[in-house]
Amino acid sequence: MAAFQESTAETVTIVAGLESTFADELGALTVPWQGAAAPDPQLLVVNEQLAASLRLDVAALRSVDGIGVLSGSTVPVGATPVAMAYAGHQFGGYAPILGDGRALLLGELVSSAGQRVDLHLKGSGRTPFSRGGDGYAVVGPMLREYLVSEAMNALGVPTTRALSVVATGRDVRRNGAEPGAVLARIASSHLRVGTFEFAAPAGRGLAAAHRLRDRPALPGADRTSVNGYTQSLSEVPRGGRRGAGVTGGEVDAHRFRARVMNTDNTTISGETIDYGPCAFLDAFDPAAVFSSIDHGGRYAFGNQPAVLKWNLVRLAETLLPLIDSAPDNAISAASAILETFDERYEGHYAAGLAAKIGLAQPFVDRALVDDLLTLLAEHGADWTGSFRALADELRGNSAPLDQLVPREHIAPWLQRWQGALTENGQGAAETASAMDRVNPLYIPRNHRLDAALRAATDGDLAPFEKLLEVVTHPFDRRDEWADYTEAAPRSFSETFQTFCGT
Ligand code: AMP
Ligand code: MG
């Protein structure tokens, strides 16, 4: 392990106000730790807007001291970096101790909007939780997380954010030697279902779990009320703008195939986290799997809601003794809430899809949506392109849709859709505009992202910077970005996978 480097006055400025309430209050769930020294740190990308919203000085972040902090080499004055402990169900099997094996919670910042957020480093070296791992991360996957999480944020999906990626100058062994990197990540909290699983056993004390639920990210404010805990359970998967975003209309509506959704990768805040094996779908296929180790399809796209519900049952189990000291009462209270999951999920999903086809709420005709999805799947139509093509259709431009689904197959559905719009009294022009505000033109297309990450690994950041600019403006059509709407060539999609622990 590297020694602490001395912090300078400038370092203090960079992270002025860095607090450590989690480490201070929940010592049983943390191990104070420090990052490895980076041999030759170079800042690859920094999120200036996000930095400004966190009242960080961008020029200071770009300085030698700033890069030292962002790489994990330098500990800011007054900070208490910690590795967080958590457990987790991985592919259904329980691992009682996982924890930050290559990450550190550097501390907490308070944003200009008054929100407390975690500043977290990923790839900062071995910790007591590393097991057989090397504690490092490499440039390609860290830039992938940076770009995909920022794209998700631009789409309005609750997600962790990316502050920076620093190349460390260390060779890391993956498929041969790859350049090492550290991602600085911002999240409203790094509490996971797995944190509760770790804290729950009586040996470690319910007090810790009790304090956990007072963290700002966990809903249900009244800790004195017995039902505070059941309230938490009902709000965690509340979908919509926040709340297990993985269930929400947004994620499903954008066809984002989340990463390996183990309980340690499921946040309590509902922010999508850990963009390792993940991708956006081109053609709609509920069976799509992008993780190289997911042979059984547990985390296939269409299975994600069921997996989230399964993860919430694990969360409920950890809360039972807090809900009611009589186990039977606790189980029935928790079950009553979990039983409402399907209906709540369905509500968010239907609303998300109704918005995509421009139907004003309330909307109940699931058959209209389902029949469209069946058509798109049958013809392998590009998901993202199809909804923009439907808006073009309303404007009298049928060429884009004709390229995706043969007219004779979609004509009867178009008639039903037009009928529903007419019945709602919705005009074509304003409906098309409303659709364009929720249906992105630009998503991180897998072949583009892959090419950009390869170039970046070889030292050319230009394709990455361009793609980042495009996907963080997903709804703004620009003629010079026409190439970025194209789906991956079939030859690429047939062999495409992303990998865990990368
Ligand atoms: P993930 O698949 O990234 O969610 O990680 C699952 C667990 O493996 C977590 O405890 C990680 O900290 C740990 N882990 C993943 N990659 C590494 C690595 N290269 N070195 C040490 N621990 C790792
Ligand atoms: Mg993880």
Side-chain angles (χ1 to χ4, degrees):
M1 241 212 329
F4 277 86
Q5 289 183 4
E6 258 185 35
S7 303
T8 65
E10 200 171 7
T11 313
V12 179
T13 321
I14 295 160
V15 288
L18 197 65
E19 296 176 12
S20 54
T21 66
F22 191 89
D24 296 344
E25 292 166 19
L26 290 155
L29 302 180
T30 60
V31 180
W33 208 251
Q34 63 187 84
D40 180 21
Q42 307 282 341
L43 184 64
L44 299 185
V45 55
V46 61
N47 191 334
E48 298 195 355
Q49 269 185 331
L50 181 60
S53 76
L54 297 170
R55 298 186 285 198
L56 295 170
D57 176 345
V58 177
L61 284 181
R62 289 183 179 283
S63 71
V64 171
D65 282 325
I67 295 169
V69 170
L70 296 175
S71 69
S73 303
T74 310
V75 178
V77 167
T80 311
V82 292
M84 294 170 77
Y86 50 84
H89 276 87
Q90 300 189 304
F91 290 90
Y94 188 56
I97 301 182
L98 288 171
D100 287 335
R102 55 166 174 172
L104 292 174
L105 173 63
L106 211 51
E108 300 138 28
L109 293 160
V110 178
S111 74
S112 47
Q115 192 202 357
R116 176 181 296 273
V117 295
D118 286 355
L119 171 57
H120 177 98
L121 300 178
K122 180 166 171 179
S124 50
R126 286 181 57 81
T127 76
F129 300 110
S130 296
R131 294 165 292 155
D134 60 9
Y136 296 125
V138 293
V139 164
M142 293 307 98
L143 288 177
R144 169 186 287 276
E145 170 152 348
Y146 188 108
L147 186 138
V148 177
S149 63
E150 287 304 302
M152 291 281 270
N153 178 64
L155 291 169
V157 180
T159 175
T160 61
R161 301 287 307 275
L163 180 64
S164 63
V165 175
V166 175
T168 57
R170 174 184 286 105
D171 277 347
V172 175
R173 192 187 298 267
R174 288 292 181 267
N175 297 316
E178 291 199 40
V182 175
L183 169 82
R185 167 163 91 182
I186 301 294
S188 69
S189 156
H190 278 82
L191 285 179
R192 309 145 192 266
V193 171
T195 319
F196 283 74
E197 292 177 297
F198 181 87
R204 257 175 230 111
L206 284 173
H210 201 73
R211 293 230 285 285
L212 273 181
R213 68 166 290 281
D214 283 341
R215 305 291 304 171
L218 183 61
D222 182 6
R223 78 183 277 185
T224 57
S225 120
V226 171
N227 281 327
Y229 295 99
T230 50
Q231 188 191 338
S232 300
L233 265 186
S234 70
E235 290 187 12
V236 169
R238 63 188 185 267
R241 288 281 314 158
R242 292 181 53 83
V246 278
T247 67
E250 299 93 340
V251 166
D252 280 350
H254 294 306
R255 304 286 110 179
F256 175 71
R257 214 316 280 159
R259 63 288 169 261
V260 175
M261 242 169 79
N262 293 327
T263 56
D264 54 296
N265 289 335
T266 303
T267 61
I268 300 298
S269 67
E271 291 172 351
T272 301
I273 193 170
D274 258 9
Y275 294 84
C278 69
F280 284 79
L281 302 192
D282 284 344
F284 171 47
D285 174 8
V289 172
F290 289 104
S291 167
S292 59
I293 58 169
D294 190 4
H295 304 299
R298 178 181 173 90
Y299 300 126
F301 180 84
N303 221 24
Q304 287 183 179
V307 166
L308 179 68
K309 185 178 174 187
W310 191 91
N311 290 351
L312 287 171
V313 176
R314 305 286 81 76
L315 174 64
E317 285 166 357
T318 71
L319 297 175
L320 289 177
L322 301 169
I323 292 171
D324 198 311
S325 54
D328 287 352
N329 293 349
I331 289 170
S332 44
S335 305
I337 290 164
L338 291 166
E339 277 162 17
T340 65
F341 175 90
D342 292 339
E343 196 183 322
R344 284 182 288 135
Y345 169 78
E346 173 61 25
H348 288 294
Y349 181 65
L353 283 169
K356 287 183 78 68
I357 58 171
L359 282 170
Q361 318 283 344
F363 170 70
V364 282
D365 188 1
R366 267 306 292 271
L368 187 63
V369 167
D370 290 343
D371 292 349
L372 174 65
L373 301 201
T374 305
L375 269 171
L376 297 183
E378 272 171 11
H379 295 278
D382 181 65
W383 176 263
T384 307
S386 294
F387 292 94
R388 296 295 286 218
L390 285 173
D392 287 338
E393 184 77 19
L394 285 183
R395 298 188 185 96
N397 175 11
S398 33
L401 192 59
D402 284 340
Q403 283 175 13
L404 295 166
V405 186
R407 176 91 3 200
E408 65 272 25
H409 288 136
I410 201 163
W413 184 88
L414 288 173
Q415 262 191 350
R416 285 164 62 200
W417 179 45
Q418 296 276 8
L421 292 175
T422 310
E423 211 171 289
N424 280 0
Q426 294 183 233
E430 65 270 29
T431 303
S433 305
M435 287 171 69
D436 284 354
R437 287 194 293 274
V438 297
N439 293 317
L441 259 175
Y442 310 111
I443 57 164
R445 296 285 183 176
N446 299 320
H447 61 306
R448 292 239 163 236
L449 182 53
D450 204 53
L453 298 183
R454 278 175 205 274
T457 300
D458 292 340
D460 176 12
L461 279 167
F464 173 84
E465 286 165 354
K466 176 80 187 287
L467 186 61
L468 181 65
E469 166 81 1
V470 173
V471 301
T472 50
H473 297 87
F475 304 104
D476 312 345
R477 182 186 292 281
R478 289 196 209 163
D479 292 342
E480 68 271 25
W481 290 351
D483 289 353
Y484 289 83
T485 58
E486 280 163 21
R490 191 177 286 269
S491 56
F492 177 91
S493 307
E494 274 165 6
T495 55
F496 178 68
Q497 282 188 328
T498 57
F499 297 89
C500 287
T502 37

